[in-house]
């Protein structure tokens, strides 16, 4: 006799991990805490989405990339998604591993709109700068204003705080030697980062009970006043003609869920904003892990449990 009422499949666990910014110890502690608080069989098959910004600010970008690159072989039943953050985009731009602009234009075309900032931000002018994407030049530059009034701390080399990344590979900030010092597997990792990730069937706990939704993961968010389909197409194509990709680096313009996505419930999960913000299906998971004294955070679905590297969990 056939069973016409099969047991519903258990929802897959999804972990979304916020900005890491070169802090290997925070990443290791967070990973241990996720292993401790998630059922072992669920963790073994979980979907792990890293929300971007692996480099800069913290001292050990090189070790962070080693850790991330090792995950698929250490946890072969998990699925791993590595989103591109605005810092990773700029690092990749400096190394020359971004895809070429789709229309055959030169990367130097991306400078024009922002040239008024070149002197203040001290854009990179060393080897290979002539056809480097705007963000690569900003990333490796030397900011002429040393104090970041918004954050209340000094810049670390450039507007991106990239000096610790250079140093993690054993070269001084702004040196073209970084292009040789970064190993090929790190370059490949940066080149393969996705700008957006979509999942069709993700389970989430809401006030109305358990919901099954589409999920879109993108480092900063989607612009609320542009057609979503066009944005997704551009992000999937990695259109490097764009000098500043709002979905990776925007602020207020990408904070909310675009209106058209509210018709069919869609989770949008991001990092980037140095805030932990959960409002309906808009999840912003970045507790400011790029600051030395603040935690790297993750959210676990469907439960919406927040896990931090600083949690003291008993196994």
């Amino acid at each position: 006799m056939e069973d016409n009422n099969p047991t519903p499949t258990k929802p897959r666990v999804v972990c979304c991990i916020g900005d890491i910014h070169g802090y290997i110890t925070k990443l290791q502690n967070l990973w241990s805490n996720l292993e401790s608080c998630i059922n072992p069989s669920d963790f073994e098959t979980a979907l792990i989405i890293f929300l971007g910004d692996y480099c800069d600010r913290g001292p050990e970008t090189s070790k962070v990339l080693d850790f991330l690159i090792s995950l698929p072989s250490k946890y072969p039943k998990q699925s791993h998604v590595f989103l591109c953050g605005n810092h990773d985009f700029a690092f990749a731009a400096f190394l020359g591993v971004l895809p070429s602009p789709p229309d055959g234009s030169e990367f130097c075309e991306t400078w024009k709109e922002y040239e008024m900032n070149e002197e203040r931000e001290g854009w990179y002018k060393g080897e290979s700068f002539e056809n480097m994407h705007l963000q690569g030049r900003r990333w490796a530059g030397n900011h002429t204003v040393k104090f970041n009034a918004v954050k209340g701390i000094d810049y670390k080399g450039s507007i991106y705080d990239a000096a610790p990344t250079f140093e993690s590979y054993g070269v001084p900030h702004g040196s073209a030697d970084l292009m040789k010092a970064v190993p090929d597997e790190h370059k490949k990792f940066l080149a393969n980062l996705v700008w957006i990730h979509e999942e069709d069937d993700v389970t989430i706990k809401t006030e109305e009970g358990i919901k099954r939704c589409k999920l879109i993961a993108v480092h900063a968010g989607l612009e609320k006043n542009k057609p979503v389909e066009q944005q997704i197409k551009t992000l999937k194509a990695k259109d490097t003609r764009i000098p500043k990709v709002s979905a990776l680096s925007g602020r207020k313009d990408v904070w909310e869920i675009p209106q058209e996505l509210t018709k069919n419930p869609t989770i949008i999960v991001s990092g980037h904003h140095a805030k932990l913000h959960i409002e309906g299906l808009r999840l912003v998971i970045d507790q400011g892990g790029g600051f030395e004294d603040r935690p790297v955070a993750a959210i676990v679905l469907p439960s919406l449990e927040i896990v931090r590297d600083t949690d003291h969990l008993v196994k």
Side-chain angles (χ1 to χ4, degrees):
M1 186 176 163
E2 284 188 41
D3 183 0
N4 292 324
N5 295 302
T7 309
T9 53
K10 193 176 178 188
R12 185 184 197 185
V13 166
V14 179
C15 305
C16 302
I17 296 176
D19 301 25
I20 298 159
H21 280 302
Y23 283 102
I24 185 62
T25 305
K26 292 186 192 183
L27 174 57
Q28 289 166 332
N29 291 343
L30 175 65
W31 190 262
S32 296
N33 285 344
L34 287 168
E35 274 191 297
S36 298
C37 74
I38 297 169
N39 177 295
S41 62
D42 290 341
F43 188 72
E44 187 185 20
T45 58
L47 167 62
I48 314 286
I49 301 175
F50 289 90
L51 298 170
D53 278 3
Y54 313 113
C55 61
D56 303 341
R57 300 196 174 131
E60 292 178 312
T61 287
S62 177
K63 288 183 180 174
V64 166
L65 295 199
D66 283 337
F67 182 97
L68 298 175
I69 289 164
S70 75
L71 288 177
S73 57
K74 286 183 181 168
Y75 298 85
K77 292 182 184 173
Q78 285 181 349
S79 299
H80 304 95
V81 173
F82 301 104
L83 286 179
C84 186
N86 56 317
H87 286 256
D88 315 310
F89 178 102
F91 185 10
F94 181 77
L95 296 175
V97 300
L98 289 180
S100 299
D103 62 352
S105 61
E106 300 287 332
F107 279 131
C108 56
E109 294 291 318
T110 62
W111 308 348
K112 291 178 181 174
E113 193 181 334
Y114 295 94
E115 274 175 334
M116 76 293 274
N117 301 328
E118 179 172 2
E119 195 173 322
R120 180 174 56 86
E121 293 180 354
W123 295 0
Y124 173 80
K125 288 181 182 170
E127 186 185 318
S128 303
F129 92 92
E130 296 86 353
N131 191 30
M132 184 179 284
H133 191 284
L134 165 70
Q135 301 306 335
R137 293 193 64 199
R138 295 177 78 222
W139 184 79
N142 273 292
H143 205 287
T144 55
V145 179
K146 297 306 176 196
F147 186 70
N148 183 338
V150 175
K151 294 190 172 133
I153 52 175
D154 285 341
Y155 286 107
K156 296 177 178 178
S158 70
I159 197 159
Y160 278 100
D161 298 321
T165 298
F166 280 83
E167 289 155 15
S168 82
Y169 290 97
V171 300
H173 177 68
S175 169
D177 291 344
L178 185 70
M179 297 173 193
K180 298 187 193 80
V182 173
D184 286 344
E185 64 173 352
H186 289 200
K187 289 176 180 170
K188 185 181 174 187
F189 175 81
L190 291 164
N192 289 338
L193 296 176
V194 295
W195 294 12
I196 189 166
H197 179 75
E198 296 177 282
E199 285 285 328
D200 284 333
D201 188 14
V202 170
T203 308
I204 184 169
K205 191 172 81 177
T206 71
E207 287 174 3
E208 297 93 51
I210 294 287
K211 272 189 183 173
R212 298 176 81 151
C213 303
K214 179 171 179 166
L215 177 142
I216 295 175
V218 57
H219 179 64
L222 293 176
E223 294 174 83
K224 62 182 176 188
N225 297 324
K226 286 189 181 171
V228 169
E229 201 173 315
Q230 184 57 52
Q231 291 188 65
I232 291 171
K233 188 178 174 186
T234 301
L235 293 166
K236 284 189 166 174
K238 297 187 178 182
D239 189 340
T240 56
R241 285 173 297 189
I242 304 167
K244 191 176 181 190
V245 181
S246 291
L248 306 188
S249 60
R251 294 290 178 191
K252 288 180 182 172
D253 55 332
V254 296
W255 181 255
E256 294 168 26
I257 296 179
Q259 187 66 33
E260 66 181 279
L261 288 180
T262 58
K263 298 182 188 88
N264 296 310
T266 303
I267 302 161
I268 298 193
V269 61
S270 303
H272 182 61
H273 295 278
K275 287 185 174 71
L276 189 64
H277 175 85
I278 297 166
E279 186 176 344
L281 299 179
R282 180 60 171 132
L283 313 177
V284 178
I285 311 301
D286 172 24
Q287 247 186 310
F291 294 91
E292 198 170 343
D293 58 347
R294 288 169 68 180
V296 172
I299 193 165
V300 181
L301 302 179
S303 68
L304 292 180
E305 182 180 1
I306 300 295
V307 181
R308 302 171 180 83
D309 69 286
T310 49
D311 296 341
H312 297 291
L313 301 177
V314 180
K315 282 201 176 182

